[in-house]
Amino acid sequence: MRAERWVAALLVLPACPLAVADVYLTEGTNISVDVAPDGRLVLDLLGGLWIVPAGGGIAEPIASGERAARGPRWSPDGKRLVFEANLDERPELRLHSITSGETRAVGSSEFADRQPDWHPDGSRIIYSSARNNTGFDVWETDVETGLTWRLTERPGHEREPAWSADGQHLVYVHEHDGLWTLVLKRRGYDEEALATSDRPIRAPSWRPDGSLVSWLAEEIDGWRVYMTILSRPRVTRMLMEDEDFFLSPIVWANRQHMVYAADGLIRARRFDAWRPTTLPFRANVGSASGIADRGAHPRDL
């Protein structure tokens, strides 16, 4: 798998020789994407956040005030975004209101907080955090009160947590002693290992009906997407291959449709389809939009 991809850009020359040229991007490097309830997309690009219309189109920047935004996730009502901001080489969590435009911190800035996601009721945010000298554990914070509690405490690291759509069950990735395990934590039951590998497992996500969990696994020739069907007995099958998958969760827009990032693009795919389609985006990262909104300033001429 290619470790990095060059970003494809179209340079539009200005009419005035002293004007700053507009630069449009139609691909990204290691982007992640999420889908709002109304179908709008949000992606991270060049350290900023951008909203794309449902089905693709012109990407509009979000002036969140953060320069190193990563992994945005829509709230269940589509009115807020939670994302990771890498400030001073320490990842922290930020909450951005689409309606008011305000951005604030989530939790404490004392710790390395990463990989946020929402509880389905929209009142809580779950994430991976390095606290109490026990490695990364799964924590959860109440958005309004700031009350925080820990959900896992195992040797090694627990990362990339995701709630099921009914808020009853949790999956996360446990890394310890050179092994990666996809763990299912069902309410009222003991934790269960759905898959174990001596190669990295990443980015689990739930199908909305709770029937399966999708996840990425590193193979010798690159990353592949697998699914574990939560039947009795459990059944694991490969779901997608032959794409340069970026390491972010597959987004299940509904029971049949998936959206994900691969090959520098936003892909859409039906569960029963052999090939994906592309949801195109076009982001103006010149002086008029993305770069200015992220706090950069054009050079004096």
Side-chain angles (χ1 to χ4, degrees), residues 56-232:
I58 300 299
E60 297 293 341
I62 298 175
S64 67
E66 308 294 346
R67 293 193 180 188
R70 179 69 180 160
R73 291 293 175 262
W74 288 101
S75 62
D77 61 7
K79 296 181 179 180
R80 294 174 292 180
L81 290 166
V82 65
F83 60 94
E84 178 184 319
N86 197 342
L87 305 177
D88 299 325
E89 299 184 356
R90 183 181 67 250
E92 301 177 6
L93 302 185
R94 294 290 186 268
L95 185 67
H96 178 79
S97 170
I98 298 296
T99 54
S100 70
E102 296 179 352
T103 302
R104 66 176 178 87
V106 177
S108 173
S109 61
E110 301 177 25
F111 310 103
D113 297 338
R114 304 197 61 190
Q115 301 158 339
D117 202 1
W118 291 86
H119 188 277
D121 67 11
S123 67
R124 294 173 272 163
I125 292 172
I126 194 171
Y127 52 95
S128 178
S129 182
R131 308 184 182 204
N132 301 336
N133 298 317
T134 60
F136 279 91
D137 300 309
V138 176
W139 289 74
E140 196 168 39
T141 293
D142 183 85
V143 173
E144 297 302 324
T145 66
L147 183 64
T148 298
W149 56 91
R150 181 163 51 188
L151 298 181
T152 68
E153 187 177 4
R154 303 179 64 169
H157 303 289
E158 298 95 76
R159 299 187 175 102
E160 300 186 270
W163 281 112
S164 60
D166 60 6
Q168 297 295 307
H169 314 305
L170 179 72
V171 292
Y172 64 88
V173 175
H174 179 223
E175 178 191 352
H176 182 56
D177 285 345
L179 292 177
W180 285 261
T181 303
L182 179 65
V183 179
L184 171 63
K185 185 181 179 69
R186 294 193 299 158
R187 176 170 292 185
Y189 293 86
D190 293 335
E191 292 188 337
E192 175 186 352
L194 297 179
T196 300
S197 175
D198 59 359
R199 292 179 178 273
I201 291 175
R202 296 290 306 273
S205 61
W206 288 86
R207 197 182 193 187
D209 62 3
S211 62
L212 64 83
V213 174
S214 59
W215 44 282
L216 279 79
E218 186 183 43
E219 308 287 356
I220 296 177
D221 57 349
W223 292 86
R224 295 177 181 173
V225 179
Y226 286 86
M227 62 179 177
T228 297
I229 302 170
L230 300 180
S231 57
R232 287 293 185 186

